[in-house]
Amino acid sequence: MTVGNDQAPSGIRTSKPDELHVVRQPLPRHDQAEKIAGSTRYAGDFAFASMLHARLVRSPMPSARITARDASAALAVPGVVAVLFGEDVPHNLIWVDVPGQTVEVAALKASMEVLTTDRVRFHGEPVALVVAETEDALAQACEQVVVDYEELPAVFEPDQALAAGAPRVHETGNLLSEWVIDRGDVDAAFASADVVVEGSYQTQPVDHAYLEPEAGVGWLDDEGVLNLRVATQVVEHYRDVARILGIPEARVRVIAPYLGGGFGGKEDMTVEPYLGLAAWRTKRPVRMQWTRQESLLARPKRHRMQLRYRTAATRNGQVIGQDIDITADSGAYAYLSALVLLYSSVHACGPYRVGNVRLRARCAYTNNPPTSAFRGFGGMQVVFGYEAQMDLLAGALGLSRAEIRKRNAIVRGDRLPVGQVIETEVLLAQAIDAALERAGDKPLPSGEGKVVGRGVACNLQSYGRCVWLNDSAAAWVGFQLDGSLSVRCAVPDVGGGQASSLAQIAAEVLRVPMDLITVHFGDSALNPLAGTTTATRQLLMSGNAVYEASSALRANVLRAVARTTGVPADGLALDEGLITGPGVAMALTEAIVLCRRLNVPIEALGTFFGPKGTPVVKNLQADRVFPDFTFGAHVCDLEVDLDTGGVELLAYVAAHDVGRAINPRSVHGQIAGAVAQGLGMALLEEVVVEEGVNLTAGFFQYLIPTATDIPDIDALILESGEGMGPFGARGIGEPPIGPPPAAVASAIEDALGVRPTRLPITPERVLHCIAAAGGGPLQEQR
């Protein structure tokens, strides 16, 4: 559906729907056939003859000092080529410099050592790298590496880690990051409020659970360049590998084939430094693939967060104050935690006008497994808190859940608590109405002992990276002499159709059929760099880069024809291989040859620079933090079994303003996939860690939803035409994952009268709600 007036703010590349020919068409993605056939070659499918194999030896303890190491027995295993410790790494440090970390010395911003040398801080930390001729020799040798540990005091709860006298995970202290918002007079707002509601909510650590584990192959080519073909969301990791090895960046190439899922789990380096180290050291091709157990054990998870909210409102439902406290668990190392916490802080009040705001957000080091990027990137967890508060207000004031949200919905021109003004159209109220209309009447219970509930949840989610990171992306577009088109952009395609979207954008501008366009992507050496496929940024960044390059190329061709025919370029049209104008009808292929004769380029490089902003430290007051936001509203219908606490999802509607749908089929897939992943977090998924030991060893323990658990997701696409991407598109990869846990909790509260406040919402926790609704004692939700 198209909603909005299509009058976009200055600087937004947009077109009216009836002006578009290729964009907004539900075209098959160009990778569709091979993925359906199962012929796509992922990172783990690539191999060399006589290649070596590599594996990490990992710590069995969450907090210990390494007192001794011995590789002699492992090296004696036939077929073992090398056993490497931290001292064998030229520059044994991986560090991430992001806004908000409390320590300003770069060396102390270490995410972790490549191979830890003397101190272990989490269960699964890499302590040695073994390289062998065969997988069997590798397995045997890893068992023979001797590492002696002296157990050290540990801390596992963020609140305890921040308390005085807690064991220090790092010498600099356990406070990794802190953000503060103090806007208006919060105390006066609460004193004058007609109603105040408060709640405490907890989200859990969850795993990315993608189909493709971390994998790759590394080799030296004939020019002595280190090539890494790996499952990654960031080809720019070639720079990190070069720094670790102490070699020029131009000597490292990262190739990212299609990913079997990323969701942020392949944003940080996984196999890259170890493959680089092994291949550079042995001068032979090396393969590394983590097992599922290793993946679940050691890769950073989504941040566990404790959310405490107090909300003040007038009797007519206007929110006038929020008092928010957020505590996040970073685990043992920094990774991207400070940046994740920034996102949580900026998004903490949701898509609502809230008047006065006091927020304190802290992230603590613990001896738990590290946490880092995950789809939604800190903006997801807080939805569980602010949407619960809206439901509490609705109940206290006797308003419907839809009405309380619409009365407080942000509109264009409103200012977020951080200080950023919303510059684009907001269709939140329309999304709420559309979702409820599509949902229809609430279903009836299926039988005795069953109750049904309907939940509503909304959110805002930024797209594009924080503007303090000086983001940019580049793309090259060029005609071949036969009229076919090549698009080159180093964007990693993580399964969201990133490469196909670039082809569709180029096809719209240059009116070239999709089957004549080839996209070369995911290669740091052969394509212009486009930055990370993270933060719902690629459509904004690489999409605009392709738009700029295609527009420049179109102008070149029309200018050449104008010089020859005398018809002004603005009087010429390019359409399906033909250039027309008054007295002009020239085939595109003829125009391309004409350009060569006139020394007019038939290729163009486009570079798009994202919005810029001035960083702040700790106190969050800024004119701009993110380029823009996507808004949405979800409705969930479910049934609760009063005897077992079981929850059956009956129907789910998700409505989002995507600005302009480049490919509605891909948009629908992104919404449905994100909702399914969010429902998994709502009801099933949790990485269980006890005293720092990760007990989650496989998918037989880590439960993810299957097709039998999830109803058909009804995705409603609203188009305001006011996104900052090409043709007015907004990012949609991350936004739909935020509302599902809140929508499920809202529906359970609607059915039972008691709201779950801790994720995941297991049958045991539902039974607790049932007992509480029946007048039993309300215990802590465990």
Side-chain angles (χ1 to χ4, degrees):
M1 64 181 66
T2 299
V3 181
N5 56 19
D6 289 300
Q7 298 301 310
S10 175
I12 293 179
R13 297 168 167 81
T14 188
S15 298
K16 294 182 178 180
D18 57 5
E19 296 175 345
L20 300 171
H21 302 274
V22 183
V23 165
R24 299 184 79 237
Q25 298 303 309
L27 304 178
R29 284 165 31 180
H30 70 275
D31 58 332
Q32 174 177 302
E34 65 184 69
K35 286 187 174 178
I36 292 174
S39 60
T40 302
R41 298 182 72 192
Y42 294 95
D45 297 325
F46 203 68
F48 284 87
S50 303
M51 68 181 178
L52 301 173
H53 302 269
R55 185 177 299 175
L56 291 164
V57 177
R58 298 180 179 275
S59 167
M61 305 180 69
S63 181
R65 191 176 309 282
I66 296 174
T67 58
R69 291 170 299 180
D70 187 358
S72 56
L75 289 168
V77 174
V80 172
V81 174
V83 178
L84 305 177
F85 294 116
E87 292 79 5
D88 300 309
V89 184
H91 298 279
N92 190 34
L93 192 65
I94 301 170
W95 63 276
V96 180
D97 186 8
V98 298
Q101 296 184 95
T102 56
V103 179
E104 293 305 321
V105 180
L108 297 179
K109 291 182 178 179
S111 173
M112 63 187 299
E113 291 180 303
V114 180
L115 296 170
T116 191
T117 53
D118 62 353
R119 172 72 190 276
V120 169
R121 292 180 172 88
F122 74 96
H123 175 217
E125 185 163 1
V127 297
L129 175 65
V130 181
V131 187
E133 298 279 358
T134 67
E135 294 276 11
D136 290 342
L138 190 66
Q140 184 179 350
C142 287
E143 294 292 332
Q144 297 298 319
V145 175
V146 176
V147 182
D148 294 333
Y149 301 95
E150 175 191 343
E151 188 172 3
L152 294 175
V155 63
F156 307 113
E157 294 298 327
D159 285 340
Q160 295 175 11
L162 295 174
R168 289 196 166 201
V169 181
H170 295 274
E171 291 305 314
T172 53
N174 293 338
L175 179 62
L176 165 62
S177 177
E178 183 174 16
W179 296 103
V180 174
I181 296 176
D182 192 359
R183 177 186 177 191
D185 192 334
V186 175
D187 293 331
F190 276 86
S192 65
D194 296 308
V195 61
V196 173
V197 296
E198 57 184 293
S200 181
Y201 314 96
Q202 185 168 314
T203 68
Q204 78 279 35
V206 296
D207 188 81
H208 305 78
Y210 29 62
L211 291 175
E212 177 197 24
E214 299 75 3
V217 177
W219 71 95
L220 296 179
D221 64 20
D222 293 341
E223 305 301 322
V225 174
L226 174 63
N227 290 258
L228 300 175
R229 188 180 191 272
V230 293
T232 182
Q233 297 174 237
V234 185
V235 298
E236 283 83 354
H237 281 321
Y238 75 87
R239 296 189 179 106
D240 301 288
V241 174
R243 185 186 57 78
I244 289 167
L245 296 177
I247 62 178
E249 292 180 0
R251 296 286 297 278
V252 181
R253 173 189 181 191
V254 171
I255 305 166
Y258 286 115
L259 263 67
F263 313 122
K266 294 167 185 169
E267 178 172 353
D268 300 298
M269 286 194 293
T270 58
V271 300
E272 295 96 317
Y274 308 110
L275 280 173
L277 180 63
W280 192 257
R281 180 73 173 251
T282 64
K283 309 302 180 186
R284 291 178 58 183
V286 182
R287 181 178 187 270
M288 173 181 273
Q289 178 164 319
W290 293 4
T291 64
R292 182 62 63 182
Q293 181 178 7
E294 189 176 12
S295 182
L296 283 164
L297 171 69
R299 185 188 55 252
K301 313 303 177 190
R302 188 189 292 280
H303 292 75
R304 175 172 57 135
M305 289 190 184
Q306 182 73 39
L307 313 167
R308 300 177 180 88
Y309 275 78
R310 293 177 64 238
T311 306
T314 63
R315 61 175 50 88
N316 67 358
Q318 180 186 357
V319 176
I320 58 174
Q322 289 269 38
D323 192 349
I324 306 168
D325 185 88
I326 301 172
T327 305
D329 185 355
S330 169
Y333 290 96
Y335 283 94
L336 298 173
S337 291
L339 196 57
V340 170
L341 191 67
L342 169 68
Y343 278 64
S344 297
S345 301
V346 173
H347 294 80
C349 292
Y352 308 114
R353 296 184 300 276
V354 295
N356 308 279
V357 177
R358 178 191 298 131
L359 175 141
R360 185 190 188 198
R362 297 177 297 166
C363 193
Y365 288 118
T366 67
N367 291 110
N368 293 321
T371 50
S372 191
F374 202 129
R375 190 179 198 170
F377 205 83
M380 179 190 186
Q381 293 95 319
V382 293
V383 182
F384 192 58
Y386 64 66
E387 285 300 278
Q389 294 296 107
M390 297 305 289
D391 280 358
L392 288 176
L393 278 180
L397 294 168
L399 297 172
S400 74
R401 296 177 175 185
E403 184 61 29
I404 191 73
R405 288 167 169 81
K406 289 197 290 185
R407 290 188 185 187
N408 292 281
I410 286 173
V411 297
R412 187 188 356 224
D414 282 342
R415 190 179 295 273
L416 297 177
V418 71
Q420 180 168 348
V421 174
I422 299 297
E423 300 174 349
T424 54
E425 185 65 60
V426 179
L427 302 183
L428 184 59
Q430 293 91 327
I432 293 171
D433 290 340
L436 287 170
E437 181 181 357
R438 180 64 63 88
D441 295 332
K442 187 166 70 173
L444 298 174
S446 64
E448 190 174 346
K450 307 289 182 65
V451 292
V452 297
R454 167 167 291 179
V456 177
C458 302
N459 77 322
L460 85 164
Q461 176 74 46
S462 58
Y463 61 94
R465 299 175 73 192
C466 170
V467 299
W468 307 337
L469 299 177
N470 296 315
D471 205 5
S472 66
W476 180 96
V477 178
F479 276 122
Q480 305 298 329
L481 294 181
D482 63 356
S484 61
L485 189 72
S486 297
V487 177
R488 294 186 177 275
C489 183
V491 50
D493 191 313
V494 303
Q498 285 81 10
S500 281
S501 294
L502 300 186
Q504 212 160 343
I505 293 165
E508 182 64 53
V509 176
L510 294 166
R511 302 307 313 281
V512 175
M514 286 284 285
D515 58 1
L516 293 183
I517 300 177
T518 299
V519 180
H520 303 272
F521 65 94
D523 191 320
S524 70
L526 303 184
N527 297 323
L529 295 178
T532 67
T533 302
T534 62
T536 314
R537 62 173 292 280
Q538 281 298 354
L539 183 60
L540 170 69
M541 301 302 299
S542 64
N544 274 328
V546 168
Y547 182 96
E548 290 194 353
S550 300
S551 298
L553 180 55
R554 177 187 176 98
N556 286 351
V557 174
L558 295 182
R559 186 173 68 250
V561 174
R563 284 172 56 184
T564 301
T565 64
V567 177
D570 58 7
L572 297 171
L574 172 58
D575 187 19
E576 294 293 335
L578 187 67
I579 298 174
T580 59
V584 176
M586 182 183 295
L588 176 61
T589 51
E590 182 182 348
I592 293 170
V593 173
L594 177 65
C595 287
R596 296 292 299 270
R597 291 173 180 165
L598 297 177
N599 294 333
V600 174
I602 57 172
E603 59 277 315
L605 177 70
T607 302
F608 179 74
F609 296 94
K612 299 292 188 288
T614 303
V616 299
V617 178
K618 185 176 177 179
N619 294 310
L620 268 175
Q621 282 296 320
D623 291 337
R624 184 183 291 276
V625 182
F626 300 109
D628 194 25
F629 299 86
T630 298
F631 297 81
H634 293 199
V635 175
C636 173
D637 287 334
L638 55 78
E639 182 175 74
V640 179
D641 188 317
L642 296 176
D643 294 324
T644 67
V647 173
E648 180 182 358
L649 298 169
L650 303 176
Y652 202 99
V653 181
H656 287 267
D657 171 22
V658 303
R660 185 75 71 219
I662 300 297
N663 186 327
R665 183 179 295 182
S666 289
V667 170
H668 186 283
Q670 287 294 296
I671 293 175
V675 168
Q677 198 167 29
L679 290 172
M681 181 171 173
L683 292 167
L684 295 171
E685 301 181 38
E686 182 171 20
V687 176
V688 178
V689 179
E690 291 187 3
E691 297 296 306
V693 176
N694 188 341
L695 303 179
T696 308
F699 284 164
F700 63 95
Q701 291 175 311
Y702 187 84
L703 303 179
I704 57 177
T706 67
T708 61
D709 300 309
I710 303 294
D712 290 338
I713 309 302
D714 196 347
L716 301 184
I717 300 173
L718 280 65
E719 294 186 289
S720 64
E722 292 213 358
M724 292 189 172
F727 308 105
R730 297 183 194 262
I732 193 59
E734 288 182 294
I737 199 174
V744 169
S746 177
I748 291 174
E749 183 181 20
D750 182 50
L752 302 177
V754 175
R755 189 184 193 91
T757 58
R758 182 170 177 176
L759 296 177
I761 306 171
T762 60
E764 293 82 2
R765 289 172 180 154
V766 174
L767 286 172
H768 164 80
C769 293
I770 293 170
L778 184 60
Q779 307 280 332
E780 177 187 358
Q781 294 183 20
R782 299 186 180 279

PDB file of all heavy atoms in Angstrom, residues 518-540:
ATOM      1  N   THR A 518      25.206  -7.574 -14.425  1.00  0.00           N
ATOM      2  CA  THR A 518      26.005  -8.452 -13.563  1.00  0.00           C
ATOM      3  C   THR A 518      26.554  -7.622 -12.414  1.00  0.00           C
ATOM      4  O   THR A 518      27.117  -6.545 -12.633  1.00  0.00           O
ATOM      5  CB  THR A 518      27.169  -9.081 -14.343  1.00  0.00           C
ATOM      6  OG1 THR A 518      26.643  -9.877 -15.410  1.00  0.00           O
ATOM      7  CG2 THR A 518      28.006  -9.975 -13.427  1.00  0.00           C
ATOM      8  N   VAL A 519      26.375  -8.133 -11.201  1.00  0.00           N
ATOM      9  CA  VAL A 519      26.869  -7.446 -10.013  1.00  0.00           C
ATOM     10  C   VAL A 519      28.061  -8.217  -9.467  1.00  0.00           C
ATOM     11  O   VAL A 519      27.959  -9.418  -9.169  1.00  0.00           O
ATOM     12  CB  VAL A 519      25.778  -7.327  -8.939  1.00  0.00           C
ATOM     13  CG1 VAL A 519      26.322  -6.597  -7.706  1.00  0.00           C
ATOM     14  CG2 VAL A 519      24.557  -6.597  -9.492  1.00  0.00           C
ATOM     15  N   HIS A 520      29.176  -7.542  -9.335  1.00  0.00           N
ATOM     16  CA  HIS A 520      30.369  -8.112  -8.714  1.00  0.00           C
ATOM     17  C   HIS A 520      30.465  -7.521  -7.307  1.00  0.00           C
ATOM     18  O   HIS A 520      30.570  -6.303  -7.148  1.00  0.00           O
ATOM     19  CB  HIS A 520      31.613  -7.764  -9.522  1.00  0.00           C
ATOM     20  CG  HIS A 520      31.555  -8.205 -10.957  1.00  0.00           C
ATOM     21  ND1 HIS A 520      31.966  -9.447 -11.373  1.00  0.00           N
ATOM     22  CD2 HIS A 520      31.103  -7.563 -12.075  1.00  0.00           C
ATOM     23  CE1 HIS A 520      31.783  -9.566 -12.683  1.00  0.00           C
ATOM     24  NE2 HIS A 520      31.254  -8.423 -13.128  1.00  0.00           N
ATOM     25  N   PHE A 521      30.424  -8.354  -6.295  1.00  0.00           N
ATOM     26  CA  PHE A 521      30.315  -7.867  -4.919  1.00  0.00           C
ATOM     27  C   PHE A 521      31.303  -8.597  -4.009  1.00  0.00           C
ATOM     28  O   PHE A 521      31.911  -9.601  -4.389  1.00  0.00           O
ATOM     29  CB  PHE A 521      28.881  -8.067  -4.414  1.00  0.00           C
ATOM     30  CG  PHE A 521      28.460  -9.514  -4.297  1.00  0.00           C
ATOM     31  CD1 PHE A 521      28.588 -10.199  -3.100  1.00  0.00           C
ATOM     32  CD2 PHE A 521      27.943 -10.202  -5.385  1.00  0.00           C
ATOM     33  CE1 PHE A 521      28.228 -11.529  -2.988  1.00  0.00           C
ATOM     34  CE2 PHE A 521      27.569 -11.526  -5.294  1.00  0.00           C
ATOM     35  CZ  PHE A 521      27.712 -12.200  -4.098  1.00  0.00           C
ATOM     36  N   GLY A 522      31.444  -8.079  -2.798  1.00  0.00           N
ATOM     37  CA  GLY A 522      32.135  -8.789  -1.734  1.00  0.00           C
ATOM     38  C   GLY A 522      33.601  -9.083  -1.960  1.00  0.00           C
ATOM     39  O   GLY A 522      34.084 -10.139  -1.554  1.00  0.00           O
ATOM     40  N   ASP A 523      34.343  -8.188  -2.583  1.00  0.00           N
ATOM     41  CA  ASP A 523      35.769  -8.423  -2.823  1.00  0.00           C
ATOM     42  C   ASP A 523      36.512  -7.132  -2.526  1.00  0.00           C
ATOM     43  O   ASP A 523      36.317  -6.112  -3.198  1.00  0.00           O
ATOM     44  CB  ASP A 523      35.999  -8.865  -4.263  1.00  0.00           C
ATOM     45  CG  ASP A 523      37.414  -9.379  -4.510  1.00  0.00           C
ATOM     46  OD1 ASP A 523      38.357  -8.786  -3.972  1.00  0.00           O
ATOM     47  OD2 ASP A 523      37.549 -10.371  -5.252  1.00  0.00           O
ATOM     48  N   SER A 524      37.388  -7.165  -1.535  1.00  0.00           N
ATOM     49  CA  SER A 524      38.055  -5.930  -1.095  1.00  0.00           C
ATOM     50  C   SER A 524      39.098  -5.444  -2.087  1.00  0.00           C
ATOM     51  O   SER A 524      39.464  -4.264  -2.063  1.00  0.00           O
ATOM     52  CB  SER A 524      38.712  -6.151   0.273  1.00  0.00           C
ATOM     53  OG  SER A 524      39.835  -7.026   0.164  1.00  0.00           O
ATOM     54  N   ALA A 525      39.580  -6.319  -2.960  1.00  0.00           N
ATOM     55  CA  ALA A 525      40.647  -5.919  -3.871  1.00  0.00           C
ATOM     56  C   ALA A 525      40.135  -5.486  -5.234  1.00  0.00           C
ATOM     57  O   ALA A 525      40.751  -4.632  -5.889  1.00  0.00           O
ATOM     58  CB  ALA A 525      41.640  -7.077  -4.043  1.00  0.00           C
ATOM     59  N   LEU A 526      39.030  -6.040  -5.694  1.00  0.00           N
ATOM     60  CA  LEU A 526      38.579  -5.812  -7.064  1.00  0.00           C
ATOM     61  C   LEU A 526      37.387  -4.883  -7.184  1.00  0.00           C
ATOM     62  O   LEU A 526      37.016  -4.511  -8.289  1.00  0.00           O
ATOM     63  CB  LEU A 526      38.253  -7.154  -7.734  1.00  0.00           C
ATOM     64  CG  LEU A 526      39.387  -8.178  -7.768  1.00  0.00           C
ATOM     65  CD1 LEU A 526      38.958  -9.416  -8.538  1.00  0.00           C
ATOM     66  CD2 LEU A 526      40.650  -7.571  -8.389  1.00  0.00           C
ATOM     67  N   ASN A 527      36.758  -4.525  -6.078  1.00  0.00           N
ATOM     68  CA  ASN A 527      35.570  -3.677  -6.111  1.00  0.00           C
ATOM     69  C   ASN A 527      35.757  -2.453  -5.223  1.00  0.00           C
ATOM     70  O   ASN A 527      36.468  -2.518  -4.209  1.00  0.00           O
ATOM     71  CB  ASN A 527      34.352  -4.451  -5.622  1.00  0.00           C
ATOM     72  CG  ASN A 527      34.025  -5.636  -6.505  1.00  0.00           C
ATOM     73  OD1 ASN A 527      34.168  -5.559  -7.720  1.00  0.00           O
ATOM     74  ND2 ASN A 527      33.591  -6.727  -5.903  1.00  0.00           N
ATOM     75  N   PRO A 528      35.116  -1.333  -5.555  1.00  0.00           N
ATOM     76  CA  PRO A 528      35.143  -0.177  -4.646  1.00  0.00           C
ATOM     77  C   PRO A 528      34.543  -0.555  -3.294  1.00  0.00           C
ATOM     78  O   PRO A 528      33.542  -1.274  -3.223  1.00  0.00           O
ATOM     79  CB  PRO A 528      34.275   0.863  -5.369  1.00  0.00           C
ATOM     80  CG  PRO A 528      34.268   0.439  -6.801  1.00  0.00           C
ATOM     81  CD  PRO A 528      34.359  -1.050  -6.789  1.00  0.00           C
ATOM     82  N   LEU A 529      35.160  -0.077  -2.246  1.00  0.00           N
ATOM     83  CA  LEU A 529      34.726  -0.451  -0.902  1.00  0.00           C
ATOM     84  C   LEU A 529      33.403   0.212  -0.551  1.00  0.00           C
ATOM     85  O   LEU A 529      33.176   1.383  -0.828  1.00  0.00           O
ATOM     86  CB  LEU A 529      35.791  -0.055   0.119  1.00  0.00           C
ATOM     87  CG  LEU A 529      37.125  -0.788  -0.015  1.00  0.00           C
ATOM     88  CD1 LEU A 529      38.123  -0.288   1.022  1.00  0.00           C
ATOM     89  CD2 LEU A 529      36.945  -2.300   0.109  1.00  0.00           C
ATOM     90  N   ALA A 530      32.529  -0.586   0.084  1.00  0.00           N
ATOM     91  CA  ALA A 530      31.179  -0.102   0.412  1.00  0.00           C
ATOM     92  C   ALA A 530      30.895  -0.154   1.898  1.00  0.00           C
ATOM     93  O   ALA A 530      29.785   0.159   2.318  1.00  0.00           O
ATOM     94  CB  ALA A 530      30.140  -0.924  -0.338  1.00  0.00           C
ATOM     95  N   GLY A 531      31.872  -0.562   2.697  1.00  0.00           N
ATOM     96  CA  GLY A 531      31.641  -0.638   4.128  1.00  0.00           C
ATOM     97  C   GLY A 531      30.901  -1.908   4.524  1.00  0.00           C
ATOM     98  O   GLY A 531      30.668  -2.809   3.724  1.00  0.00           O
ATOM     99  N   THR A 532      30.509  -1.956   5.765  1.00  0.00           N
ATOM    100  CA  THR A 532      29.963  -3.171   6.355  1.00  0.00           C
ATOM    101  C   THR A 532      28.507  -3.387   5.968  1.00  0.00           C
ATOM    102  O   THR A 532      27.749  -2.440   5.788  1.00  0.00           O
ATOM    103  CB  THR A 532      30.052  -3.097   7.880  1.00  0.00           C
ATOM    104  OG1 THR A 532      29.166  -2.063   8.353  1.00  0.00           O
ATOM    105  CG2 THR A 532      31.446  -2.757   8.338  1.00  0.00           C
ATOM    106  N   THR A 533      28.124  -4.675   5.842  1.00  0.00           N
ATOM    107  CA  THR A 533      26.697  -4.990   5.722  1.00  0.00           C
ATOM    108  C   THR A 533      26.173  -5.192   7.128  1.00  0.00           C
ATOM    109  O   THR A 533      26.034  -6.306   7.638  1.00  0.00           O
ATOM    110  CB  THR A 533      26.478  -6.231   4.849  1.00  0.00           C
ATOM    111  OG1 THR A 533      27.045  -5.986   3.556  1.00  0.00           O
ATOM    112  CG2 THR A 533      24.983  -6.515   4.681  1.00  0.00           C
ATOM    113  N   THR A 534      25.926  -4.076   7.774  1.00  0.00           N
ATOM    114  CA  THR A 534      25.482  -4.028   9.165  1.00  0.00           C
ATOM    115  C   THR A 534      24.634  -2.773   9.332  1.00  0.00           C
ATOM    116  O   THR A 534      24.604  -1.898   8.460  1.00  0.00           O
ATOM    117  CB  THR A 534      26.676  -3.943  10.140  1.00  0.00           C
ATOM    118  OG1 THR A 534      27.406  -2.730   9.878  1.00  0.00           O
ATOM    119  CG2 THR A 534      27.630  -5.121   9.971  1.00  0.00           C
ATOM    120  N   ALA A 535      23.961  -2.685  10.464  1.00  0.00           N
ATOM    121  CA  ALA A 535      23.251  -1.462  10.845  1.00  0.00           C
ATOM    122  C   ALA A 535      22.212  -1.031   9.811  1.00  0.00           C
ATOM    123  O   ALA A 535      21.889   0.145   9.709  1.00  0.00           O
ATOM    124  CB  ALA A 535      24.236  -0.314  11.103  1.00  0.00           C
ATOM    125  N   THR A 536      21.688  -1.975   9.041  1.00  0.00           N
ATOM    126  CA  THR A 536      20.691  -1.665   8.009  1.00  0.00           C
ATOM    127  C   THR A 536      21.171  -0.491   7.163  1.00  0.00           C
ATOM    128  O   THR A 536      20.435   0.435   6.875  1.00  0.00           O
ATOM    129  CB  THR A 536      19.332  -1.353   8.650  1.00  0.00           C
ATOM    130  OG1 THR A 536      19.053  -2.352   9.634  1.00  0.00           O
ATOM    131  CG2 THR A 536      18.204  -1.400   7.640  1.00  0.00           C
ATOM    132  N   ARG A 537      22.439  -0.558   6.725  1.00  0.00           N
ATOM    133  CA  ARG A 537      23.042   0.601   6.071  1.00  0.00           C
ATOM    134  C   ARG A 537      23.270   0.427   4.583  1.00  0.00           C
ATOM    135  O   ARG A 537      23.482   1.423   3.874  1.00  0.00           O
ATOM    136  CB  ARG A 537      24.388   0.936   6.730  1.00  0.00           C
ATOM    137  CG  ARG A 537      25.445  -0.163   6.622  1.00  0.00           C
ATOM    138  CD  ARG A 537      26.813   0.275   7.139  1.00  0.00           C
ATOM    139  NE  ARG A 537      27.435   1.272   6.330  1.00  0.00           N
ATOM    140  CZ  ARG A 537      28.087   1.024   5.186  1.00  0.00           C
ATOM    141  NH1 ARG A 537      28.165  -0.209   4.726  1.00  0.00           N
ATOM    142  NH2 ARG A 537      28.634   2.005   4.508  1.00  0.00           N
ATOM    143  N   GLN A 538      23.253  -0.796   4.051  1.00  0.00           N
ATOM    144  CA  GLN A 538      23.721  -0.947   2.684  1.00  0.00           C
ATOM    145  C   GLN A 538      22.783  -0.324   1.654  1.00  0.00           C
ATOM    146  O   GLN A 538      23.240   0.232   0.656  1.00  0.00           O
ATOM    147  CB  GLN A 538      23.981  -2.415   2.359  1.00  0.00           C
ATOM    148  CG  GLN A 538      25.305  -2.949   2.904  1.00  0.00           C
ATOM    149  CD  GLN A 538      26.524  -2.242   2.321  1.00  0.00           C
ATOM    150  OE1 GLN A 538      26.431  -1.409   1.420  1.00  0.00           O
ATOM    151  NE2 GLN A 538      27.686  -2.565   2.855  1.00  0.00           N
ATOM    152  N   LEU A 539      21.472  -0.415   1.841  1.00  0.00           N
ATOM    153  CA  LEU A 539      20.579   0.227   0.884  1.00  0.00           C
ATOM    154  C   LEU A 539      20.801   1.737   0.892  1.00  0.00           C
ATOM    155  O   LEU A 539      20.819   2.381  -0.170  1.00  0.00           O
ATOM    156  CB  LEU A 539      19.124  -0.092   1.209  1.00  0.00           C
ATOM    157  CG  LEU A 539      18.089   0.465   0.227  1.00  0.00           C
ATOM    158  CD1 LEU A 539      18.320  -0.088  -1.175  1.00  0.00           C
ATOM    159  CD2 LEU A 539      16.679   0.145   0.696  1.00  0.00           C
ATOM    160  N   LEU A 540      20.963   2.302   2.067  1.00  0.00           N
ATOM    161  CA  LEU A 540      21.244   3.729   2.181  1.00  0.00           C
ATOM    162  C   LEU A 540      22.574   4.081   1.533  1.00  0.00           C
ATOM    163  O   LEU A 540      22.661   5.006   0.718  1.00  0.00           O
ATOM    164  CB  LEU A 540      21.255   4.143   3.653  1.00  0.00           C
ATOM    165  CG  LEU A 540      21.772   5.551   3.964  1.00  0.00           C
ATOM    166  CD1 LEU A 540      20.807   6.604   3.465  1.00  0.00           C
ATOM    167  CD2 LEU A 540      22.033   5.706   5.458  1.00  0.00           C
TER     168      LEU A 540
END
